[in-house]
Amino acid sequence: MVVHSELSDAEVDRIFRALADATRRDILRRTLVGEASVSALSAAYNMSFAAVQKHVAVLERAGLVTKKPKGRERVVSGNPEAIARARDLLNQYEQIWQARIDQLDALLSED
């Protein structure tokens, strides 16, 4: 079985690198629940505003969040479609692995 993804290898790399960091996963979780300004996100972490901005930028480059101006602030929203594409890719890998396990089970049950 071959994995077919609507994502390029570079896009997959950006998504999983972004998700590899706990702070970015938390920012994504918060912004999937509801949009939040970068200032509000910054207040939730024990790090500088600039550090939170960098985390948001990594998520934005990966397509996991979008950022738009709202008054004087920049509002961040999670992108559920990007999460769904990543989930679909992982599901394809799971199907490959499950097929291999099924083949092994069949070989081991032959008597």
Side-chain angles (χ1 to χ4, degrees):
M1 174 184 254
V2 175
V3 174
H4 298 286
S5 172
E6 61 184 62
L7 300 169
S8 71
D9 286 343
E11 290 170 313
V12 171
D13 289 346
R14 280 192 297 274
I15 287 170
F16 288 107
R17 277 191 198 113
L19 293 173
D21 182 85
T23 300
R24 289 193 289 265
R25 288 191 306 272
D26 191 60
I27 290 170
L28 179 60
R29 181 189 56 78
R30 289 170 187 266
T31 59
L32 285 167
V33 171
E35 66 182 22
S37 70
V38 177
S39 299
L41 289 169
S42 179
Y45 302 100
N46 189 21
M47 62 180 71
S48 69
F49 178 82
V52 172
Q53 278 184 308
K54 287 180 183 180
H55 282 300
V56 169
V58 170
L59 290 165
E60 189 175 26
R61 279 192 302 275
L64 294 167
V65 300
T66 57
K67 193 167 57 172
K68 64 183 179 193
K70 191 172 190 178
R72 292 182 9 207
E73 295 186 311
R74 304 287 287 169
V75 176
V76 182
S77 300
N79 181 357
E81 292 83 20
I83 300 296
R85 287 191 303 269
R87 182 200 60 230
D88 292 344
L89 180 63
L90 289 173
N91 284 340
Q92 289 179 39
Y93 285 126
E94 181 182 13
Q95 289 172 4
I96 291 169
W97 187 246
Q98 191 59 52
R100 291 183 67 153
I101 291 172
D102 292 345
Q103 288 174 339
L104 182 60
D105 282 346
L107 285 172
L108 293 174
S109 66
E110 289 179 3
D111 289 330

